[in-house]
PDB file of all heavy atoms in Angstrom:
ATOM      1  N   ALA A   1      88.016-101.119  45.676  1.00 86.00           N
ATOM      2  CA  ALA A   1      87.378 -99.927  46.336  1.00 86.00           C
ATOM      3  C   ALA A   1      87.736-100.065  47.787  1.00 86.00           C
ATOM      4  O   ALA A   1      88.191 -99.064  48.482  1.00 86.00           O
ATOM      5  CB  ALA A   1      85.840-100.023  46.094  1.00 86.00           C
ATOM      6  N   LEU A   2      87.482-101.266  48.490  1.00 85.00           N
ATOM      7  CA  LEU A   2      87.728-101.406  49.868  1.00 85.00           C
ATOM      8  C   LEU A   2      89.262-101.305  50.229  1.00 85.00           C
ATOM      9  O   LEU A   2      89.718-100.585  51.163  1.00 85.00           O
ATOM     10  CB  LEU A   2      87.163-102.683  50.424  1.00 85.00           C
ATOM     11  CG  LEU A   2      87.362-102.918  51.864  1.00 85.00           C
ATOM     12  CD1 LEU A   2      86.680-102.027  52.711  1.00 85.00           C
ATOM     13  CD2 LEU A   2      86.824-104.412  52.193  1.00 85.00           C
ATOM     14  N   GLY A   3      90.045-101.744  49.286  1.00 82.00           N
ATOM     15  CA  GLY A   3      91.533-101.742  49.461  1.00 82.00           C
ATOM     16  C   GLY A   3      92.055-100.258  49.380  1.00 82.00           C
ATOM     17  O   GLY A   3      92.969 -99.920  50.302  1.00 82.00           O
ATOM     18  N   THR A   4      91.479 -99.507  48.494  1.00 84.00           N
ATOM     19  CA  THR A   4      91.890 -98.086  48.365  1.00 84.00           C
ATOM     20  C   THR A   4      91.532 -97.444  49.723  1.00 84.00           C
ATOM     21  O   THR A   4      92.278 -96.583  50.275  1.00 84.00           O
ATOM     22  CB  THR A   4      91.140 -97.373  47.280  1.00 84.00           C
ATOM     23  OG1 THR A   4      91.540 -98.068  46.019  1.00 84.00           O
ATOM     24  CG2 THR A   4      91.556 -95.969  47.237  1.00 84.00           C
ATOM     25  N   SER A   5      90.363 -97.696  50.310  1.00 86.00           N
ATOM     26  CA  SER A   5      89.891 -97.144  51.501  1.00 86.00           C
ATOM     27  C   SER A   5      90.711 -97.530  52.675  1.00 86.00           C
ATOM     28  O   SER A   5      91.160 -96.618  53.475  1.00 86.00           O
ATOM     29  CB  SER A   5      88.425 -97.388  51.753  1.00 86.00           C
ATOM     30  OG  SER A   5      88.060 -97.046  52.968  1.00 86.00           O
ATOM     31  N   LEU A   6      91.106 -98.740  52.771  1.00 84.00           N
ATOM     32  CA  LEU A   6      91.949 -99.219  53.866  1.00 84.00           C
ATOM     33  C   LEU A   6      93.351 -98.776  53.788  1.00 84.00           C
ATOM     34  O   LEU A   6      94.076 -98.414  54.754  1.00 84.00           O
ATOM     35  CB  LEU A   6      91.957-100.770  53.832  1.00 84.00           C
ATOM     36  CG  LEU A   6      90.600-101.413  54.194  1.00 84.00           C
ATOM     37  CD1 LEU A   6      90.773-103.029  54.022  1.00 84.00           C
ATOM     38  CD2 LEU A   6      90.113-101.058  55.626  1.00 84.00           C
ATOM     39  N   ASN A   7      93.874 -98.482  52.402  1.00 81.00           N
ATOM     40  CA  ASN A   7      95.226 -98.126  52.329  1.00 81.00           C
ATOM     41  C   ASN A   7      95.317 -96.584  52.685  1.00 81.00           C
ATOM     42  O   ASN A   7      96.318 -96.170  53.409  1.00 81.00           O
ATOM     43  CB  ASN A   7      95.555 -98.150  50.815  1.00 81.00           C
ATOM     44  CG  ASN A   7      96.964 -97.630  50.523  1.00 81.00           C
ATOM     45  OD1 ASN A   7      97.160 -96.473  50.001  1.00 81.00           O
ATOM     46  ND2 ASN A   7      98.019 -98.370  50.938  1.00 81.00           N
ATOM     47  N   GLY A   8      94.188 -95.798  52.405  1.00 82.00           N
ATOM     48  CA  GLY A   8      94.130 -94.433  52.931  1.00 82.00           C
ATOM     49  C   GLY A   8      94.243 -94.414  54.436  1.00 82.00           C
ATOM     50  O   GLY A   8      94.668 -93.424  55.082  1.00 82.00           O
ATOM     51  N   LYS A   9      93.800 -95.460  55.131  1.00 83.00           N
ATOM     52  CA  LYS A   9      93.811 -95.454  56.573  1.00 83.00           C
ATOM     53  C   LYS A   9      95.032 -96.080  57.116  1.00 83.00           C
ATOM     54  O   LYS A   9      95.205 -96.169  58.389  1.00 83.00           O
ATOM     55  CB  LYS A   9      92.529 -96.150  57.189  1.00 83.00           C
ATOM     56  CG  LYS A   9      91.261 -95.494  56.736  1.00 83.00           C
ATOM     57  CD  LYS A   9      90.040 -96.465  57.363  1.00 83.00           C
ATOM     58  CE  LYS A   9      88.708 -95.800  56.850  1.00 83.00           C
ATOM     59  NZ  LYS A   9      87.576 -96.704  57.250  1.00 83.00           N
ATOM     60  N   GLY A  10      95.867 -96.409  56.233  1.00 82.00           N
ATOM     61  CA  GLY A  10      97.113 -97.189  56.638  1.00 82.00           C
ATOM     62  C   GLY A  10      96.960 -98.576  57.104  1.00 82.00           C
ATOM     63  O   GLY A  10      97.932 -99.060  57.895  1.00 82.00           O
ATOM     64  N   GLU A  11      95.834 -99.244  56.847  1.00 80.00           N
ATOM     65  CA  GLU A  11      95.598-100.635  57.284  1.00 80.00           C
ATOM     66  C   GLU A  11      96.153-101.653  56.416  1.00 80.00           C
ATOM     67  O   GLU A  11      96.246-102.894  56.767  1.00 80.00           O
ATOM     68  CB  GLU A  11      94.035-100.948  57.532  1.00 80.00           C
ATOM     69  CG  GLU A  11      93.503 -99.938  58.508  1.00 80.00           C
ATOM     70  CD  GLU A  11      92.034-100.365  58.864  1.00 80.00           C
ATOM     71  OE1 GLU A  11      91.595-101.376  58.339  1.00 80.00           O
ATOM     72  OE2 GLU A  11      91.190 -99.462  59.256  1.00 80.00           O
ATOM     73  N   VAL A  12      96.504-101.223  55.185  1.00 80.00           N
ATOM     74  CA  VAL A  12      97.021-102.323  54.149  1.00 80.00           C
ATOM     75  C   VAL A  12      97.853-101.585  53.183  1.00 80.00           C
ATOM     76  O   VAL A  12      97.794-100.446  52.795  1.00 80.00           O
ATOM     77  CB  VAL A  12      95.796-103.010  53.503  1.00 80.00           C
ATOM     78  CG1 VAL A  12      95.038-102.022  52.561  1.00 80.00           C
ATOM     79  CG2 VAL A  12      96.172-104.116  52.565  1.00 80.00           C
ATOM     80  N   SER A  13      98.870-102.298  52.866  1.00 79.00           N
ATOM     81  CA  SER A  13      99.907-101.817  51.813  1.00 79.00           C
ATOM     82  C   SER A  13      99.369-101.940  50.350  1.00 79.00           C
ATOM     83  O   SER A  13      98.532-102.807  50.125  1.00 79.00           O
ATOM     84  CB  SER A  13     101.224-102.427  52.027  1.00 79.00           C
ATOM     85  OG  SER A  13     101.270-103.802  51.568  1.00 79.00           O
ATOM     86  N   VAL A  14     100.026-101.202  49.476  1.00 78.00           N
ATOM     87  CA  VAL A  14      99.771-101.346  48.115  1.00 78.00           C
ATOM     88  C   VAL A  14     100.001-102.832  47.614  1.00 78.00           C
ATOM     89  O   VAL A  14      99.302-103.527  46.890  1.00 78.00           O
ATOM     90  CB  VAL A  14     100.587-100.400  47.157  1.00 78.00           C
ATOM     91  CG1 VAL A  14     100.274-100.645  45.615  1.00 78.00           C
ATOM     92  CG2 VAL A  14     100.145 -98.951  47.599  1.00 78.00           C
ATOM     93  N   GLY A  15     101.120-103.392  48.200  1.00 74.00           N
ATOM     94  CA  GLY A  15     101.455-104.743  47.714  1.00 74.00           C
ATOM     95  C   GLY A  15     100.565-105.659  48.251  1.00 74.00           C
ATOM     96  O   GLY A  15     100.196-106.676  47.524  1.00 74.00           O
ATOM     97  N   ALA A  16      99.992-105.569  49.405  1.00 74.00           N
ATOM     98  CA  ALA A  16      98.921-106.388  49.965  1.00 74.00           C
ATOM     99  C   ALA A  16      97.689-106.357  49.031  1.00 74.00           C
ATOM    100  O   ALA A  16      97.026-107.376  48.805  1.00 74.00           O
ATOM    101  CB  ALA A  16      98.532-106.109  51.351  1.00 74.00           C
ATOM    102  N   ILE A  17      97.422-105.137  48.768  1.00 76.00           N
ATOM    103  CA  ILE A  17      96.199-105.009  47.728  1.00 76.00           C
ATOM    104  C   ILE A  17      96.439-105.790  46.475  1.00 76.00           C
ATOM    105  O   ILE A  17      95.591-106.562  45.941  1.00 76.00           O
ATOM    106  CB  ILE A  17      95.842-103.518  47.400  1.00 76.00           C
ATOM    107  CG1 ILE A  17      95.459-102.844  48.770  1.00 76.00           C
ATOM    108  CG2 ILE A  17      94.794-103.439  46.417  1.00 76.00           C
ATOM    109  CD1 ILE A  17      95.260-101.277  48.537  1.00 76.00           C
ATOM    110  N   VAL A  18      97.569-105.634  45.892  1.00 75.00           N
ATOM    111  CA  VAL A  18      97.950-106.336  44.735  1.00 75.00           C
ATOM    112  C   VAL A  18      97.852-107.847  44.948  1.00 75.00           C
ATOM    113  O   VAL A  18      97.358-108.545  43.978  1.00 75.00           O
ATOM    114  CB  VAL A  18      99.396-105.953  44.188  1.00 75.00           C
ATOM    115  CG1 VAL A  18      99.873-106.760  43.037  1.00 75.00           C
ATOM    116  CG2 VAL A  18      99.401-104.447  43.739  1.00 75.00           C
ATOM    117  N   SER A  19      98.465-108.323  46.001  1.00 73.00           N
ATOM    118  CA  SER A  19      98.385-109.781  46.318  1.00 73.00           C
ATOM    119  C   SER A  19      96.952-110.293  46.433  1.00 73.00           C
ATOM    120  O   SER A  19      96.614-111.284  45.980  1.00 73.00           O
ATOM    121  CB  SER A  19      99.110-110.051  47.629  1.00 73.00           C
ATOM    122  OG  SER A  19     100.460-109.849  47.444  1.00 73.00           O
ATOM    123  N   PHE A  20      96.086-109.359  47.049  1.00 75.00           N
ATOM    124  CA  PHE A  20      94.667-109.778  47.248  1.00 75.00           C
ATOM    125  C   PHE A  20      94.016-109.882  45.877  1.00 75.00           C
ATOM    126  O   PHE A  20      93.189-110.727  45.654  1.00 75.00           O
ATOM    127  CB  PHE A  20      93.979-108.741  48.113  1.00 75.00           C
ATOM    128  CG  PHE A  20      93.556-109.263  49.508  1.00 75.00           C
ATOM    129  CD1 PHE A  20      94.341-108.950  50.573  1.00 75.00           C
ATOM    130  CD2 PHE A  20      92.502-110.211  49.564  1.00 75.00           C
ATOM    131  CE1 PHE A  20      93.941-109.545  51.821  1.00 75.00           C
ATOM    132  CE2 PHE A  20      92.208-110.686  50.885  1.00 75.00           C
ATOM    133  CZ  PHE A  20      92.908-110.406  52.018  1.00 75.00           C
ATOM    134  N   VAL A  21      94.220-108.849  45.024  1.00 76.00           N
ATOM    135  CA  VAL A  21      93.612-108.904  43.798  1.00 76.00           C
ATOM    136  C   VAL A  21      94.201-110.166  43.020  1.00 76.00           C
ATOM    137  O   VAL A  21      93.303-110.807  42.324  1.00 76.00           O
ATOM    138  CB  VAL A  21      93.960-107.668  42.821  1.00 76.00           C
ATOM    139  CG1 VAL A  21      93.497-107.689  41.482  1.00 76.00           C
ATOM    140  CG2 VAL A  21      93.330-106.370  43.560  1.00 76.00           C
ATOM    141  N   GLY A  22      95.349-110.406  43.098  1.00 74.00           N
ATOM    142  CA  GLY A  22      95.914-111.735  42.493  1.00 74.00           C
ATOM    143  C   GLY A  22      95.183-112.969  43.025  1.00 74.00           C
ATOM    144  O   GLY A  22      94.787-113.916  42.310  1.00 74.00           O
ATOM    145  N   PHE A  23      95.054-113.002  44.383  1.00 73.00           N
ATOM    146  CA  PHE A  23      94.385-114.084  44.988  1.00 73.00           C
ATOM    147  C   PHE A  23      92.924-114.067  44.431  1.00 73.00           C
ATOM    148  O   PHE A  23      92.385-115.133  44.086  1.00 73.00           O
ATOM    149  CB  PHE A  23      94.336-114.027  46.557  1.00 73.00           C
ATOM    150  CG  PHE A  23      95.576-114.370  47.257  1.00 73.00           C
ATOM    151  CD1 PHE A  23      96.100-113.666  48.283  1.00 73.00           C
ATOM    152  CD2 PHE A  23      96.416-115.430  46.678  1.00 73.00           C
ATOM    153  CE1 PHE A  23      97.167-114.048  48.815  1.00 73.00           C
ATOM    154  CE2 PHE A  23      97.488-115.823  47.248  1.00 73.00           C
ATOM    155  CZ  PHE A  23      98.043-115.066  48.401  1.00 73.00           C
ATOM    156  N   ALA A  24      92.291-112.970  44.418  1.00 74.00           N
ATOM    157  CA  ALA A  24      90.836-112.880  43.972  1.00 74.00           C
ATOM    158  C   ALA A  24      90.828-113.379  42.486  1.00 74.00           C
ATOM    159  O   ALA A  24      89.814-114.145  42.159  1.00 74.00           O
ATOM    160  CB  ALA A  24      90.361-111.471  44.124  1.00 74.00           C
ATOM    161  N   MET A  25      91.732-112.983  41.693  1.00 77.00           N
ATOM    162  CA  MET A  25      91.691-113.282  40.133  1.00 77.00           C
ATOM    163  C   MET A  25      91.929-114.865  40.151  1.00 77.00           C
ATOM    164  O   MET A  25      91.265-115.619  39.326  1.00 77.00           O
ATOM    165  CB  MET A  25      92.771-112.637  39.416  1.00 77.00           C
ATOM    166  CG  MET A  25      92.462-111.226  39.357  1.00 77.00           C
ATOM    167  SD  MET A  25      91.045-110.731  38.396  1.00 77.00           S
ATOM    168  CE  MET A  25      91.503-111.118  36.744  1.00 77.00           C
ATOM    169  N   MET A  26      92.828-115.433  41.010  1.00 75.00           N
ATOM    170  CA  MET A  26      93.018-116.786  40.844  1.00 75.00           C
ATOM    171  C   MET A  26      91.811-117.586  41.430  1.00 75.00           C
ATOM    172  O   MET A  26      91.410-118.594  40.836  1.00 75.00           O
ATOM    173  CB  MET A  26      94.205-117.250  41.810  1.00 75.00           C
ATOM    174  CG  MET A  26      94.503-118.683  41.904  1.00 75.00           C
ATOM    175  SD  MET A  26      96.018-119.031  42.844  1.00 75.00           S
ATOM    176  CE  MET A  26      97.327-118.211  42.014  1.00 75.00           C
ATOM    177  N   LEU A  27      91.283-117.100  42.486  1.00 73.00           N
ATOM    178  CA  LEU A  27      90.001-117.650  43.116  1.00 73.00           C
ATOM    179  C   LEU A  27      88.826-117.617  42.090  1.00 73.00           C
ATOM    180  O   LEU A  27      88.126-118.642  41.983  1.00 73.00           O
ATOM    181  CB  LEU A  27      89.658-116.972  44.338  1.00 73.00           C
ATOM    182  CG  LEU A  27      88.448-117.605  44.989  1.00 73.00           C
ATOM    183  CD1 LEU A  27      88.528-119.028  45.376  1.00 73.00           C
ATOM    184  CD2 LEU A  27      87.964-116.701  46.283  1.00 73.00           C
ATOM    185  N   ILE A  28      88.730-116.612  41.395  1.00 75.00           N
ATOM    186  CA  ILE A  28      87.689-116.448  40.397  1.00 75.00           C
ATOM    187  C   ILE A  28      87.952-117.512  39.255  1.00 75.00           C
ATOM    188  O   ILE A  28      86.991-118.221  38.880  1.00 75.00           O
ATOM    189  CB  ILE A  28      87.634-114.981  39.807  1.00 75.00           C
ATOM    190  CG1 ILE A  28      87.043-114.039  40.905  1.00 75.00           C
ATOM    191  CG2 ILE A  28      86.726-115.033  38.514  1.00 75.00           C
ATOM    192  CD1 ILE A  28      87.070-112.623  40.479  1.00 75.00           C
ATOM    193  N   GLY A  29      89.086-117.642  38.811  1.00 76.00           N
ATOM    194  CA  GLY A  29      89.501-118.570  37.888  1.00 76.00           C
ATOM    195  C   GLY A  29      89.165-120.046  38.197  1.00 76.00           C
ATOM    196  O   GLY A  29      88.631-120.914  37.595  1.00 76.00           O
ATOM    197  N   ARG A  30      89.590-120.321  39.551  1.00 75.00           N
ATOM    198  CA  ARG A  30      89.307-121.558  40.053  1.00 75.00           C
ATOM    199  C   ARG A  30      87.776-121.903  40.266  1.00 75.00           C
ATOM    200  O   ARG A  30      87.263-123.017  39.992  1.00 75.00           O
ATOM    201  CB  ARG A  30      90.043-121.821  41.356  1.00 75.00           C
ATOM    202  CG  ARG A  30      91.491-121.841  41.437  1.00 75.00           C
ATOM    203  CD  ARG A  30      91.974-123.015  40.431  1.00 75.00           C
ATOM    204  NE  ARG A  30      93.405-123.076  40.360  1.00 75.00           N
ATOM    205  CZ  ARG A  30      94.034-123.961  39.605  1.00 75.00           C
ATOM    206  NH1 ARG A  30      93.410-124.826  38.880  1.00 75.00           N
ATOM    207  NH2 ARG A  30      95.304-123.921  39.595  1.00 75.00           N
ATOM    208  N   MET A  31      87.120-120.813  40.757  1.00 74.00           N
ATOM    209  CA  MET A  31      85.622-120.965  40.911  1.00 74.00           C
ATOM    210  C   MET A  31      84.962-121.180  39.507  1.00 74.00           C
ATOM    211  O   MET A  31      84.006-121.972  39.408  1.00 74.00           O
ATOM    212  CB  MET A  31      85.109-119.801  41.629  1.00 74.00           C
ATOM    213  CG  MET A  31      85.467-119.655  43.194  1.00 74.00           C
ATOM    214  SD  MET A  31      85.045-121.116  44.139  1.00 74.00           S
ATOM    215  CE  MET A  31      83.309-120.961  44.105  1.00 74.00           C
ATOM    216  N   GLU A  32      85.424-120.494  38.526  1.00 74.00           N
ATOM    217  CA  GLU A  32      84.925-120.709  37.234  1.00 74.00           C
ATOM    218  C   GLU A  32      85.209-122.048  36.692  1.00 74.00           C
ATOM    219  O   GLU A  32      84.243-122.675  36.093  1.00 74.00           O
ATOM    220  CB  GLU A  32      85.434-119.628  36.217  1.00 74.00           C
ATOM    221  CG  GLU A  32      84.776-118.249  36.416  1.00 74.00           C
ATOM    222  CD  GLU A  32      85.412-117.120  35.581  1.00 74.00           C
ATOM    223  OE1 GLU A  32      86.244-117.429  34.925  1.00 74.00           O
ATOM    224  OE2 GLU A  32      84.693-115.976  35.442  1.00 74.00           O
TER     225      GLU A  32
END
């Protein structure tokens, strides 16, 4: 949600959002 909003403002690219989601998924896996 936040990535979509920031992309609409030109603050982050689609690739960066994908990387963040990948980091988040990895972090969630590690945290679990």
Side-chain angles (χ1 to χ4, degrees):
L2 181 58
T4 300
S5 175
L6 294 176
N7 179 258
K9 298 177 182 178
E11 295 183 19
V12 64
S13 68
V14 174
I17 295 175
V18 170
S19 294
F20 251 104
V21 172
F23 282 144
M25 294 296 290
M26 182 181 293
L27 180 63
I28 289 171
R30 292 299 182 184
M31 291 301 294
E32 288 181 345

